[in-house]
Amino acid sequence: DTVLTQSPALAVSPGERVSISCRASEGVNSYMHWYQQKPGQQPKLLIYKASNLASGVPARFSGSGSGTDFTLTIDPVEADDTATYFCQQSWNDPFTFGSGTKLEIK
Amino acid sequence: QVQLEESGPGLMQPSETLSLTCTVSGFSLTSNGVGWVRQPLGKGLVWMGTIWAGGSTNYNSAVQSRLSISRDTSKSQVFLKMNSLQPEDTGTYYCARQGLQWSFAYWGQGTLVTVSS
């Protein structure tokens, strides 16, 4: 299976820029997607196919990367962005998710 | 608008068979795939399987031998059945509509399943 590695946690102040990384154990082309999950809620799609903003998602969120290295950027960060962020690949079978990066807003 | 809602028993015994239903609205099952994703408490997400718009299915090999996904298009419902439950199957089960490039564009609120004797 394709393993997606994310750093476990980050802490930033409001107004700053934050980059959340996801590294795949094998190439996934551009078939990487990003989700935001707040406590007690279902995940929400933010970015699909590496860099495409999902409907209704603020332009503060952006994605980049291809192959094995991908980044989700939030600029500027707001207090409401406190959440866990997951990456997911859909190039290789089975679909897999990263373990998540917990973002704390100071 | 697009909505998905999971339903099923909250508590199961080991070795039993789990049956969950995902009732959808705002889209057609013959136009969009629906997948099931499990999340153990406080942990990450695991894709279990998907039933595609044409009715074919794909399963995660980790659970393939125990899992079956089917649907009733007339009722806009997708079903998950998984046998031989174990305590490690405990978690929140989500159904989600597949989106572009096989992302998961819309999610239900999830249903918690606890496997315990």
Side-chain angles (χ1 to χ4, degrees):
Chain A
D1 297 1
T2 304
V3 176
L4 303 181
T5 301
Q6 298 183 245
S7 52
L10 288 170
V12 297
S13 299
E16 292 184 342
R17 170 189 172 113
V18 65
S19 293
I20 298 170
S21 66
C22 177
R23 175 163 289 178
S25 61
E26 58 186 321
V28 299
N29 200 320
S30 296
Y31 284 62
M32 185 66 79
H33 322 292
W34 290 93
Y35 303 86
Q36 176 193 66
Q37 186 177 34
K38 297 182 178 181
Q41 296 186 16
Q42 68 271 49
K44 172 187 174 184
L45 178 66
L46 298 175
I47 301 287
Y48 66 94
K49 204 182 178 189
S51 60
N52 296 276
L53 201 64
S55 177
V57 175
R60 303 184 294 106
F61 294 87
S62 63
S64 63
S66 66
T68 61
D69 290 294
F70 297 85
T71 302
L72 171 71
T73 300
I74 311 172
D75 186 15
V77 166
E78 297 182 356
D80 188 54
D81 297 334
T82 296
T84 300
Y85 293 84
F86 294 95
C87 54
Q88 177 238 330
Q89 66 82 24
S90 58
W91 183 249
N92 299 313
D93 181 29
F95 299 158
T96 52
F97 291 84
S99 55
T101 296
K102 191 171 184 177
L103 181 64
E104 177 196 342
I105 311 301
K106 300 175 190 174
Chain B
Q1 70 276 29
V2 173
Q3 291 186 316
L4 303 96
E5 183 174 3
E6 306 88 348
S7 59
L11 181 62
M12 301 290 295
Q13 302 267 0
S15 80
E16 288 187 329
T17 296
L18 174 66
S19 293
L20 298 177
T21 298
C22 174
T23 302
V24 310
S25 59
F27 69 96
S28 171
L29 294 177
T30 58
S31 298
N32 298 96
V34 171
W36 288 93
V37 177
R38 178 171 69 191
Q39 185 171 35
L41 292 175
K43 296 191 177 179
L45 302 159
V46 179
W47 172 71
M48 301 183 71
T50 292
I51 186 163
W52 299 102
S56 63
T57 53
N58 282 99
Y59 300 118
N60 189 324
S61 57
V63 294
Q64 183 168 11
S65 63
R66 302 191 290 135
L67 182 65
S68 174
I69 298 175
S70 60
R71 68 184 186 182
D72 184 334
T73 56
S74 67
K75 294 183 178 179
S76 294
Q77 292 180 324
V78 176
F79 310 106
L80 176 149
K81 285 196 175 182
M82 188 163 68
N83 59 32
S84 304
L85 285 179
Q86 296 301 316
E88 51 266 33
D89 293 315
T90 293
T92 298
Y93 286 72
Y94 295 100
C95 60
R97 194 189 94 172
Q98 302 273 184
L100 295 172
Q101 279 72 45
W102 306 307
S103 60
F104 294 98
Y106 299 91
W107 296 67
Q109 292 188 322
T111 186
L112 177 62
V113 175
T114 302
V115 183
S116 175
S117 54

